[in-house]
Amino acid sequence: MTGTARGSVETSTEAELDPQPTFESLDPRTGEVVGRHPVHDAGEVGEVVAAARKAQQWWSDLGFSGRKQRLDAWRKLLLRRLDELAGVICAETGKPLDDARLELVLVVDHLHWAAANAEKVLRRRKVPSGFLMANQAATVEYLPFGVIGVIGPWNYPAFTPMGSIAYALAAGNTVVFKPSELTPGVGEWLAKSLAEVVPEQPVLSVVTGFGPTGAALCESGVDKVAFTGSTETGKRVMATCARTLTPVLVECGGKDALIVDADADLSAAADAAVWGAMSNAGQTCIGVERVYVVDAVADRFFDLVTERAAKLRPGGEPNANFGPITMPSQVDVIRDHVDGALERGARALVGGGHSVRPPFVEPVVLTDVPPDAAAATEETFGPTIVVERVRSADEGVERANDSRYGLGGTVFSRARGTELARRLRSGMVAVNSVIAFAAVPALPFGGVGDSGFGRIHGEDGLREFTRAQAVTRLKYRIPLNPMTFGRSNRTVRRLVRLLRLFRGR
Ligand code: NDP
């Protein structure tokens, strides 16, 4: 369980009569209760996984086209009822309605891509059988693992888990999803909506509760776990999965940097920096947290960022620029980062310690932050940004790479965009725009270092939820067979001679 669960286990007389413990999900803007959900224990998680395993055979037998038909029907349902699900997202995260809608636009496009491309990427295909095995036909096929456990976060409660769920389903797996304790209603809505178009079997099930429910899912015998959340919890998930050698995909946080070169479009770069840092109140794993701007254009860039950030207002109303901090304990992290930097000599270009007014945090732009301060090294996950001068874009790359994280990154440069992008130690980079890679379904999404490993989205994301199965089929027998006790004592020597002839040059 996270230390500051907003929901709490029900202890009333009513709950004592009902043996199923429950918890509440709350609207972070108002504290209003928006839902009550069961706390599933290990036994219940086990039952759900067993049902998902039975369903998997049926789902797999539908084949790519049968699954595509059903996933397409789900996509259309999601589009028809987009505002209804957006409303649930708003209620549980507090984000503005249009931000929730935008999240669902991405969900729909990824779901479409996964269903449309699964067959092409995963179906059995021939590969060259090579010199030694020329008499064999060789094929590779990507088969579903079985049941995938998905553990999701609260910041993008539909988009983030759907990066695993849509791809895992398209590949022929069934899924058991444990949403964050802060956003269980979104998870339940997703599962119920899929059940409307696939009523036959539970191909997507949801278990709700706190950390122990997630841990139970890791130990339940699922064939793979896809986790998104903090690095620390990611390590715990991995340790739990290690006990049963259950494979894991770990998508953790980041401290993404944006580099502004001297020839950059400064207005576009400032716009991208502010949006990248502050949209969704900065609660974005690929959000911009640091900016390194070349000295020659730094003053102008700082002015542009200051002007834009100072205009933004958080709030609970639909037209606010961004909403509240969804997880109450995050407010303390943000305050510590801002105050800690200011105490050590940083300057606030916008806002400061007073900007932290729970549940909202107003924009904060800091500069001259000591490189080892938490604001410069740890994930802040708030509407804050650290902007620093560097001598050159190359120094910007060095500073960007000097991090234990390596999720995404951004480069603004007219002449050197691609070159600088390639030198960033990260899983994804946007050149002259921000976060664009997350909206391209064909591109893999994931990081290195403390940002985790494995990939969702794209071809890699489909393969992540499969086991490659290699098959050889004998086409004809040849006299030179070294893999039999019946071989002559000249067989291997002949093979070595042939190898020298063809592979020795
Ligand atoms: P966590 O990493 O703790 O939670 C992520 C998910 O893991 C939730 O569903 C959580 O359940 C579940 N979980 C917690 N403990 C366990 C466990 N032992 N075994 C299995 N599953 C478990 O994130 P927080 O919500 O606490 O956020 C903490 C920090 O993580 C943030 O401040 C932010 O920096 C980062 N973060 C990064 C995200 C990203 O997109 N990369 C997303 C969210 C957070 P439950 O919620 O019920 O505890």
Side-chain angles (χ1 to χ4, degrees), residues 104-442:
L104 293 175
V105 165
L106 300 183
V107 164
V108 166
D109 207 30
H110 276 278
L111 182 56
H112 173 260
W113 194 92
N117 288 280
E119 180 165 14
K120 190 179 78 185
V121 176
L122 305 175
R123 70 177 167 215
R124 193 156 67 96
R125 62 183 164 84
K126 281 187 191 162
V127 296
S129 44
F131 167 67
L132 294 176
M133 294 289 146
N135 61 327
Q136 302 274 355
T139 56
V140 61
E141 182 175 10
Y142 295 88
L143 297 164
F145 270 116
V147 182
I148 305 296
V150 174
I151 298 177
W154 41 265
N155 52 342
Y156 292 91
F159 174 65
T160 300
M162 280 295 282
S164 296
I165 293 170
Y167 290 76
L169 288 172
N173 303 277
T174 53
V175 174
V176 178
F177 172 35
K178 154 67 179 72
S180 162
E181 72 204 38
L182 303 184
T183 53
V186 177
E188 284 178 352
W189 198 100
L190 286 171
K192 280 189 188 140
S193 64
L194 180 53
E196 282 182 33
V197 290
V198 187
E200 300 94 329
Q201 296 279 343
V203 296
L204 170 63
S205 312
V206 165
V207 291
T208 51
F210 303 99
T213 305
L217 183 59
C218 297
E219 290 180 311
S220 64
V222 290
D223 300 290
K224 183 159 187 168
V225 169
F227 166 83
T228 309
S230 65
T231 304
E232 287 321 306
T233 306
K235 288 177 187 172
R236 277 204 292 281
V237 163
M238 235 183 126
T240 308
C241 288
R243 290 205 283 269
T244 47
L245 215 62
T246 303
V248 282
L249 179 156
V250 184
E251 297 287 350
C252 299
K255 190 74 187 170
D256 288 2
L258 182 150
I259 296 167
V260 185
D261 203 356
D263 67 348
D265 175 342
L266 290 188
S267 170
D271 203 54
V274 174
W275 167 265
M278 305 197 178
S279 58
N280 206 36
Q283 303 164 114
T284 304
C285 56
I286 45 170
V288 175
E289 298 231 348
R290 305 175 285 157
V291 177
Y292 298 111
V293 51
V294 170
D295 206 18
V297 294
D299 288 337
R300 177 82 189 117
F301 179 81
F302 286 5
D303 287 347
L304 289 169
V305 165
T306 301
E307 188 189 305
R308 282 166 168 74
K311 279 191 208 148
L312 301 179
R313 288 286 164 267
E317 63 282 2
N319 60 352
N321 295 118
F322 52 84
I325 302 305
T326 303
M327 183 170 74
S329 65
Q330 196 65 31
V331 171
D332 300 327
V333 175
I334 299 165
R335 188 187 289 113
D336 286 353
H337 285 197
V338 173
D339 289 348
L342 292 171
E343 277 160 23
R344 293 186 55 198
R347 285 187 299 125
L349 300 177
V350 177
H354 60 275
S355 306
V356 181
R357 299 177 197 201
F360 300 102
V361 176
E362 285 163 4
V364 179
V365 180
L366 299 174
T367 191
D368 297 335
V369 175
D372 61 343
T377 59
E378 302 298 320
E379 187 173 41
T380 307
F381 232 53
T384 66
I385 191 169
V386 171
V387 292
E388 302 292 356
R389 292 165 190 273
V390 285
R391 283 184 303 275
S392 63
D394 302 278
E395 188 192 336
V397 170
E398 257 172 59
R399 299 272 302 266
N401 287 345
D402 184 17
S403 169
R404 63 191 176 96
Y405 295 107
L407 193 55
T410 313
V411 175
F412 271 82
S413 171
R414 284 196 168 91
R416 300 180 62 198
T418 309
E419 177 221 325
L420 295 168
R422 288 194 69 217
R423 286 164 50 199
L424 283 177
R425 179 183 166 272
S426 71
M428 301 150 292
V429 187
V431 178
N432 295 333
S433 73
V434 70
I435 304 184
F437 43 76
V440 178

Side-chain angles (χ1 to χ4, degrees), residues 18-42:
D18 178 3
Q20 173 76 72
T22 58
F23 68 106
E24 292 168 344
S25 67
L26 310 179
D27 186 327
R29 295 167 293 195
T30 58
E32 188 193 338
V33 176
V34 293
R36 177 171 292 284
H37 305 271
V39 179
H40 288 120
D41 63 18

